[in-house]
């Protein structure tokens, strides 16, 4: 439930006037409410910073949130590769990392150790290329191993500072990499961006049910706060690896493992050389329940496609490289490209470009 731009707390009394109201904490409806003291002392009226943020965002054509229901599903890897792909098409792209407690984007873009610079226009993003800029709290940490232990208000304050101070210049796309779940950062970024328009969210998941349960919550979060779901990406749908990159082992009767990779590859080269050009695939997660595709059908949201688990994609992310420039990432890069082309062909993201 919402009142204006300010969401009314779930535990509020009936007929709550809303935290922004002049009568917040003072009306008859506020008597006995657990939020009464907070509402009485909180600043009233619209947030004046929203005007500044709207001005900053006025030069950004499209804003895309990348979300996940749980951690470890490859959301930041997808955000990084999506940004690489868009910039390779000569779009002006910004990648905004709002994962306050676990900023991994600097590493995935090869920008570890960089620091934010300030000019008379504000904070300058760190640029990978002339048309791909990145902003992350990771650039503000003296030590990348430092733990960021912040409560909600401080997180919101940090995100608001980034939104107010960062000078993105003219952007075709701003990709926002959010932390997993539906936390303070999500509520903050939606509230701060809604006045300037959010095109929608891409949700990244893996096929197994334990991940899809959380994705359903993420979809419901988007519906509740008025953010369109652009689509769901099923990551790690299977393990895809070139035959020549596989390791082969033989287990003896005593349980000892013996590496026979050289023998196996030589045997194939001599007797079946055509096998060496194949990609070996294996299902890692149980998708017998229908995976993300079935869930999307049930919840009425678009399914964008599947991306295999590719060790070369993982290596590209670790080394801060684009998988689209690495011929070894053939299976994952092709799958990602199909998803991105499908995304760009949608009317919502194409109409004003």
């Amino acid at each position: 439930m919402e009142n204006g731009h300010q969401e009314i707390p779930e535990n509020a009394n009936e007929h709550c006037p809303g935290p922004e109201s002049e009568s917040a904490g003072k009306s008859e409806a506020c008597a006995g409410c657990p939020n009464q003291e907070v509402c009485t002392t909180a600043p009233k009226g619209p947030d004046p910073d929203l005007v500044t943020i709207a001005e900053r965002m006025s030069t950004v054509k499209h804003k895309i949130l990348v979300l996940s229901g749980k951690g470890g599903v490859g959301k930041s890897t997808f955000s990084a590769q999506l940004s690489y792909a868009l910039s390779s098409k000569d779009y002006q792209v910004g990648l905004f990392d709002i994962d306050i407690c676990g900023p991994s984007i600097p590493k995935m873009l090869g920008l570890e150790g960089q620091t934010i610079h300030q000019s008379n226009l504000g904070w300058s993003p760190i640029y990978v290329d002339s048309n791909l800029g990145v902003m992350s709290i990771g650039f503000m940490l003296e030590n990348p191993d430092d733990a960021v232990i912040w409560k909600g208000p401080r997180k919101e304050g940090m995100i608001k500072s980034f939104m107010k101070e960062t000078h993105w210049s003219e952007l075709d796309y701003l990709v926002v990499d959010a932390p997993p779940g539906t936390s303070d950062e999500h509520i903050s970024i939606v509230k701060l961006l809604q006045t300037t328009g959010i095109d929608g969210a891409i949700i990244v998941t893996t096929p197994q049910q334990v991940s899809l349960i959380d994705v359903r919550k993420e979809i419901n979060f988007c519906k509740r706060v008025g953010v369109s779901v652009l689509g769901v990406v099923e990551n790690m749908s299977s393990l895809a690896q070139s035959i020549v990159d596989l390791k082969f082992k033989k287990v003896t009767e005593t349980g000892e493992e013996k590496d026979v990779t050289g023998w196996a590859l030589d045997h194939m080269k001599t007797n079946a050389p055509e096998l060496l050009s194949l990609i070996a695939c294996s299902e890692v997660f149980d998708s017998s329940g229908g995976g993300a595709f079935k869930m999307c059908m049930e919840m009425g949201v678009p399914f964008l496609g599947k991306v295999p688990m590719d060790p070369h994609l993982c290596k590209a992310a670790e080394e801060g490289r684009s998988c689209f420039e690495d011929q070894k990432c053939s299976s994952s890069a092709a799958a990602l490209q199909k998803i991105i082309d499908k995304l760009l062909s949608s009317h919502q993201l194409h109409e004003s470009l």
Side-chain angles (χ1 to χ4, degrees), residues 119-277:
S119 69
N120 58 338
L121 296 174
W123 293 346
S124 299
I126 308 299
Y127 283 88
V128 181
D129 294 306
S130 59
N131 65 331
L132 175 53
V134 182
M135 183 58 75
S136 169
I137 193 176
F139 298 138
M140 304 182 78
L141 300 177
E142 291 185 9
N143 185 338
D145 294 331
D146 288 344
V148 180
I149 308 173
W150 290 356
K151 293 185 177 180
R154 193 172 180 191
K155 289 181 180 179
E156 180 175 359
M158 187 75 260
I159 293 172
K160 183 183 286 187
S161 294
F162 275 123
M163 298 289 293
K164 286 170 55 182
E165 302 298 335
T166 304
H167 177 64
W168 291 105
S169 191
E170 299 281 341
L171 287 183
D172 294 308
Y173 294 97
L174 178 65
V175 178
V176 181
D177 183 52
T182 52
S183 59
D184 298 316
E185 291 95 322
H186 299 78
I187 297 169
S188 298
I189 196 68
V190 169
K191 182 176 71 173
L192 295 173
L193 278 180
Q194 258 178 344
T195 55
T196 67
I198 303 173
D199 289 88
I202 300 169
I203 303 176
V204 181
T205 184
T206 49
Q208 78 271 39
Q209 289 299 312
V210 69
S211 180
L212 295 174
I213 288 170
D214 291 329
V215 171
R216 291 175 183 271
K217 297 174 184 176
E218 201 78 31
I219 292 171
N220 286 327
F221 167 81
C222 289
K223 290 179 178 179
R224 179 175 178 183
V225 298
V227 174
S228 172
V229 177
L230 298 174
V232 175
V233 174
E234 184 179 282
N235 198 24
M236 308 182 196
S237 60
S238 63
L239 175 65
Q241 195 168 7
S242 171
I243 288 285
V244 296
D245 289 331
L246 292 175
K247 301 294 183 184
F248 296 88
K249 291 183 178 180
K250 182 177 181 180
V251 181
T252 66
E253 293 180 357
T254 60
E256 183 182 355
E257 293 185 351
K258 183 180 179 181
D259 189 331
V260 293
T261 303
W263 170 83
L265 293 177
D266 287 342
H267 187 78
M268 282 187 278
K269 185 176 181 180
T270 302
N271 299 286
E274 65 275 12
L275 294 180
L276 298 176
S277 62

Side-chain angles (χ1 to χ4, degrees), residues 37-52:
E37 184 177 351
V38 174
C39 290
T40 303
T41 57
K44 303 301 186 293
D47 187 344
D49 288 332
L50 293 180
V51 176
T52 304

Side-chain angles (χ1 to χ4, degrees), residues 44-115:
K44 303 301 186 293
D47 187 344
D49 288 332
L50 293 180
V51 176
T52 304
I53 292 170
E55 290 175 353
R56 285 289 192 191
M57 291 292 105
S58 64
T59 60
V60 180
K61 292 181 182 177
H62 295 290
K63 308 168 194 73
I64 305 170
L65 299 179
V66 182
L67 309 174
S68 68
K70 65 194 300 293
V73 300
K75 170 189 56 61
S76 293
T77 298
F78 179 82
S79 296
Q81 298 304 324
L82 171 62
S83 300
Y84 274 128
L86 292 172
S87 65
S88 71
K89 296 178 181 291
D90 294 327
Y91 292 121
Q92 295 293 326
V93 183
L95 177 53
F96 183 22
D97 179 10
I98 64 166
D99 193 344
I100 303 298
C101 297
S104 55
I105 287 298
K107 181 173 182 61
M108 291 187 175
L109 274 293
L111 299 174
E112 281 186 303
Q114 298 287 333
T115 55

